[in-house]
Amino acid sequence: VFDGRQPIGPMYAFVGISGMAKMSSSKGGVPTPADALEIMEAPLLRWLYARRKPNQSFKIAFDQEIQRLYDEWDALERKIADGSAQPGDVAAYGRATRTAAAELPRTPRPLPYRTLASVVDITGGQDEQTLRILSELDPANPVASLDETRPRLDRAQHWVTTQVPAEQRTILRDEPDAELLASLDDEARESLRLV
Protein backbone atom coordinates (compact mmCIF):
# COMPACT_ATOMS: atom_id res chain seq x y z
CA VAL A 1 0.00 0.00 0.00
CA PHE A 2 1.41 3.41 -1.03
CA ASP A 3 4.60 1.65 -2.20
CA GLY A 4 5.39 0.73 1.45
CA ARG A 5 6.72 -2.54 2.76
CA GLN A 6 4.38 -5.07 4.26
CA PRO A 7 4.43 -4.37 8.04
CA ILE A 8 4.21 -8.01 9.05
CA GLY A 9 5.26 -11.31 7.58
CA PRO A 10 3.08 -14.18 6.47
CA MET A 11 -0.25 -14.48 8.23
CA TYR A 12 -1.48 -17.73 9.69
CA ALA A 13 -3.93 -19.76 7.66
CA PHE A 14 -7.45 -20.23 8.98
CA VAL A 15 -7.60 -20.88 12.74
CA GLY A 16 -10.84 -22.58 13.69
CA ILE A 17 -12.53 -23.55 16.91
CA SER A 18 -13.11 -27.24 17.52
CA GLY A 19 -16.81 -28.02 17.72
CA MET A 20 -17.91 -24.78 16.01
CA ALA A 21 -18.79 -23.92 12.44
CA LYS A 22 -16.38 -21.71 10.52
CA MET A 23 -15.83 -18.52 12.47
CA SER A 24 -16.94 -15.14 11.26
CA SER A 25 -15.71 -12.25 13.37
CA SER A 26 -18.12 -9.88 11.62
CA LYS A 27 -21.06 -11.85 13.07
CA GLY A 28 -19.64 -11.70 16.61
CA GLY A 29 -19.68 -14.39 19.27
CA VAL A 30 -16.25 -15.67 18.29
CA PRO A 31 -13.88 -16.85 21.04
CA THR A 32 -10.76 -14.72 21.38
CA PRO A 33 -7.23 -15.67 22.47
CA ALA A 34 -8.15 -14.33 25.92
CA ASP A 35 -11.02 -16.85 26.02
CA ALA A 36 -8.63 -19.64 25.05
CA LEU A 37 -6.22 -18.60 27.82
CA GLU A 38 -8.98 -19.12 30.36
CA ILE A 39 -9.11 -22.85 29.55
CA MET A 40 -5.51 -23.56 28.55
CA GLU A 41 -2.12 -22.50 29.76
CA ALA A 42 -0.22 -19.97 27.64
CA PRO A 43 2.56 -22.40 26.59
CA LEU A 44 -0.02 -24.85 25.20
CA LEU A 45 -1.79 -22.16 23.19
CA ARG A 46 1.55 -20.87 21.87
CA TRP A 47 2.54 -24.44 20.99
CA LEU A 48 -0.54 -24.81 18.76
CA TYR A 49 0.90 -22.01 16.63
CA ALA A 50 4.61 -22.81 17.04
CA ARG A 51 4.38 -26.42 15.89
CA ARG A 52 2.87 -25.54 12.50
CA LYS A 53 3.93 -23.66 9.42
CA PRO A 54 2.06 -20.36 9.07
CA ASN A 55 0.21 -21.63 5.98
CA GLN A 56 -1.28 -24.62 7.84
CA SER A 57 -4.79 -24.21 9.18
CA PHE A 58 -5.65 -25.69 12.56
CA LYS A 59 -8.30 -25.64 15.27
CA ILE A 60 -8.19 -24.51 18.87
CA ALA A 61 -10.08 -26.88 21.13
CA PHE A 62 -12.88 -25.58 23.30
CA ASP A 63 -14.55 -29.01 23.41
CA GLN A 64 -13.42 -32.45 24.68
CA GLU A 65 -10.48 -32.27 22.25
CA ILE A 66 -8.65 -30.07 24.77
CA GLN A 67 -8.00 -33.17 26.86
CA ARG A 68 -6.21 -34.86 23.95
CA LEU A 69 -4.17 -31.70 23.29
CA TYR A 70 -3.00 -31.65 26.88
CA ASP A 71 -2.10 -35.36 26.63
CA GLU A 72 0.05 -34.55 23.58
CA TRP A 73 1.64 -31.58 25.37
CA ASP A 74 2.45 -33.68 28.45
CA ALA A 75 3.95 -36.41 26.25
CA LEU A 76 6.11 -33.79 24.52
CA GLU A 77 7.30 -32.46 27.89
CA ARG A 78 8.33 -36.00 28.90
CA LYS A 79 10.27 -36.39 25.63
CA ILE A 80 11.95 -33.01 26.14
CA ALA A 81 12.92 -34.03 29.69
CA ASP A 82 14.40 -37.39 28.66
CA GLY A 83 16.08 -36.07 25.49
CA SER A 84 14.11 -38.21 23.04
CA ALA A 85 12.21 -35.36 21.31
CA GLN A 86 12.82 -34.60 17.62
CA PRO A 87 14.71 -31.34 16.84
CA GLY A 88 11.61 -29.70 15.34
CA ASP A 89 9.59 -30.55 18.45
CA VAL A 90 12.34 -29.15 20.67
CA ALA A 91 12.30 -25.90 18.68
CA ALA A 92 8.49 -25.60 18.83
CA TYR A 93 8.56 -26.34 22.55
CA GLY A 94 11.16 -23.63 23.11
CA ARG A 95 9.08 -21.08 21.20
CA ALA A 96 6.00 -22.10 23.17
CA THR A 97 7.54 -21.93 26.64
CA ARG A 98 9.78 -18.86 26.39
CA THR A 99 9.65 -15.30 25.22
CA ALA A 100 12.66 -13.11 24.49
CA ALA A 101 12.40 -11.80 28.06
CA ALA A 102 11.77 -14.93 30.15
CA GLU A 103 10.33 -18.40 30.47
CA LEU A 104 6.54 -18.48 30.76
CA PRO A 105 5.04 -19.67 34.07
CA ARG A 106 3.91 -23.27 34.11
CA THR A 107 2.15 -25.61 36.50
CA PRO A 108 4.68 -27.04 38.99
CA ARG A 109 2.88 -30.40 39.17
CA PRO A 110 1.06 -30.90 35.86
CA LEU A 111 -1.48 -33.63 36.52
CA PRO A 112 -3.43 -34.82 33.47
CA TYR A 113 -5.97 -32.21 32.37
CA ARG A 114 -8.69 -34.85 32.01
CA THR A 115 -8.10 -35.96 35.62
CA LEU A 116 -8.30 -32.39 36.90
CA ALA A 117 -11.47 -31.73 34.88
CA SER A 118 -13.10 -34.91 36.22
CA VAL A 119 -12.19 -34.09 39.82
CA VAL A 120 -13.43 -30.51 39.50
CA ASP A 121 -16.66 -31.78 37.95
CA ILE A 122 -17.25 -34.35 40.71
CA THR A 123 -16.40 -31.96 43.56
CA GLY A 124 -18.20 -28.95 42.12
CA GLY A 125 -14.90 -27.09 42.46
CA GLN A 126 -14.77 -27.37 46.27
CA ASP A 127 -11.11 -26.88 47.17
CA GLU A 128 -11.12 -29.16 50.21
CA GLN A 129 -12.63 -32.10 48.34
CA THR A 130 -10.49 -31.45 45.26
CA LEU A 131 -7.32 -31.52 47.37
CA ARG A 132 -8.47 -34.68 49.19
CA ILE A 133 -8.97 -36.55 45.91
CA LEU A 134 -5.81 -35.24 44.23
CA SER A 135 -3.70 -36.05 47.30
CA GLU A 136 -4.85 -39.69 47.10
CA LEU A 137 -3.94 -40.18 43.42
CA ASP A 138 -0.26 -40.90 44.17
CA PRO A 139 0.11 -42.01 47.81
CA ALA A 140 3.90 -42.12 47.47
CA ASN A 141 3.98 -38.46 46.37
CA PRO A 142 0.71 -36.81 47.45
CA VAL A 143 -0.34 -33.36 46.32
CA ALA A 144 0.12 -31.19 49.42
CA SER A 145 -1.47 -28.00 48.10
CA LEU A 146 -3.70 -27.06 45.19
CA ASP A 147 -1.10 -24.41 44.31
CA GLU A 148 1.09 -27.26 43.02
CA THR A 149 -1.55 -27.95 40.36
CA ARG A 150 -2.20 -24.34 39.36
CA PRO A 151 -2.70 -22.73 36.89
CA ARG A 152 -3.73 -25.97 35.10
CA LEU A 153 -6.34 -26.77 37.75
CA ASP A 154 -7.90 -23.33 37.33
CA ARG A 155 -7.98 -23.74 33.55
CA ALA A 156 -9.66 -27.14 33.85
CA GLN A 157 -12.22 -25.73 36.29
CA HIS A 158 -13.03 -22.86 33.95
CA TRP A 159 -13.38 -25.31 31.05
CA VAL A 160 -15.79 -27.51 33.01
CA THR A 161 -17.94 -24.59 34.16
CA THR A 162 -18.07 -22.77 30.81
CA GLN A 163 -17.64 -25.36 28.06
CA VAL A 164 -19.09 -28.65 29.30
CA PRO A 165 -22.85 -28.76 28.67
CA ALA A 166 -24.96 -28.94 31.84
CA GLU A 167 -26.42 -32.32 30.85
CA GLN A 168 -22.89 -33.80 30.73
CA ARG A 169 -21.85 -32.47 34.14
CA THR A 170 -21.90 -34.53 37.32
CA ILE A 171 -24.49 -33.47 39.85
CA LEU A 172 -24.13 -34.76 43.41
CA ARG A 173 -27.29 -34.84 45.48
CA ASP A 174 -27.40 -33.72 49.08
CA GLU A 175 -29.92 -36.47 49.80
CA PRO A 176 -30.73 -39.78 48.09
CA ASP A 177 -33.60 -39.90 45.59
CA ALA A 178 -36.01 -41.90 47.80
CA GLU A 179 -38.57 -42.40 45.01
CA LEU A 180 -35.98 -43.83 42.62
CA LEU A 181 -34.46 -46.05 45.31
CA ALA A 182 -37.89 -47.43 46.20
CA SER A 183 -38.46 -48.39 42.56
CA LEU A 184 -35.35 -50.62 42.41
CA ASP A 185 -35.70 -54.39 42.43
CA ASP A 186 -33.66 -56.56 44.84
CA GLU A 187 -30.88 -57.22 42.34
CA ALA A 188 -30.44 -53.51 41.58
CA ARG A 189 -30.47 -52.69 45.34
CA GLU A 190 -27.77 -55.28 45.97
CA SER A 191 -25.67 -53.94 43.07
CA LEU A 192 -25.98 -50.43 44.46
CA ARG A 193 -25.02 -51.67 47.93
CA LEU A 194 -21.89 -53.28 46.49
CA VAL A 195 -20.92 -50.06 44.72
Side-chain angles (χ1 to χ4, degrees):
V1 177
F2 303 118
D3 297 321
R5 291 186 63 220
Q6 183 178 359
I8 56 175
M11 301 293 285
Y12 276 88
F14 181 74
V15 177
I17 301 296
S18 210
M20 291 180 71
K22 188 174 178 180
M23 297 186 302
S24 172
S25 59
S26 61
K27 291 183 181 178
V30 176
T32 65
D35 295 327
L37 288 171
E38 289 181 343
I39 64 169
M40 62 181 68
E41 295 167 86
L44 177 63
L45 181 58
R46 291 171 55 101
W47 177 65
L48 294 178
Y49 285 86
R51 70 182 183 159
R52 291 183 173 82
K53 294 178 182 176
N55 63 351
Q56 286 181 302
S57 64
F58 64 95
K59 291 186 176 186
I60 296 176
F62 275 75
D63 58 5
Q64 299 284 339
E65 182 72 11
I66 194 169
Q67 296 176 358
R68 187 191 60 76
L69 285 173
Y70 260 101
D71 289 345
E72 284 183 42
W73 174 252
D74 291 342
L76 175 61
E77 286 199 312
R78 287 190 295 274
K79 288 180 180 180
I80 295 290
D82 71 18
S84 66
Q86 297 295 317
D89 291 332
V90 172
Y93 180 82
R95 288 190 297 273
T97 58
R98 289 187 295 278
T99 67
E103 190 162 321
L104 293 172
R106 291 195 306 250
T107 301
R109 183 133 180 219
L111 297 174
Y113 192 90
R114 68 182 66 245
T115 299
L116 294 174
S118 294
V119 170
V120 165
D121 181 41
I122 290 169
T123 64
Q126 296 175 7
D127 285 351
E128 185 179 316
Q129 291 296 341
T130 299
L131 179 59
R132 182 186 62 78
I133 293 171
L134 295 180
S135 68
E136 294 173 1
L137 292 178
D138 182 1
N141 186 19
V143 172
S145 164
L146 292 181
D147 289 339
E148 295 175 37
T149 64
R150 288 190 164 108
R152 187 178 288 195
L153 174 65
D154 299 328
R155 301 307 184 268
Q157 183 168 0
H158 190 79
W159 178 74
V160 167
T161 58
T162 64
Q163 303 301 317
V164 176
E167 64 273 7
Q168 293 179 12
R169 305 235 358 243
T170 303
I171 298 170
L172 298 180
R173 296 174 157 270
D174 292 330
E175 298 178 16
D177 183 338
E179 184 179 331
L180 180 61
L181 290 173
S183 72
L184 298 177
D185 62 21
D186 290 340
E187 184 180 356
R189 278 196 191 113
E190 178 59 16
S191 297
L192 186 59
R193 187 192 68 75
L194 291 172
V195 169

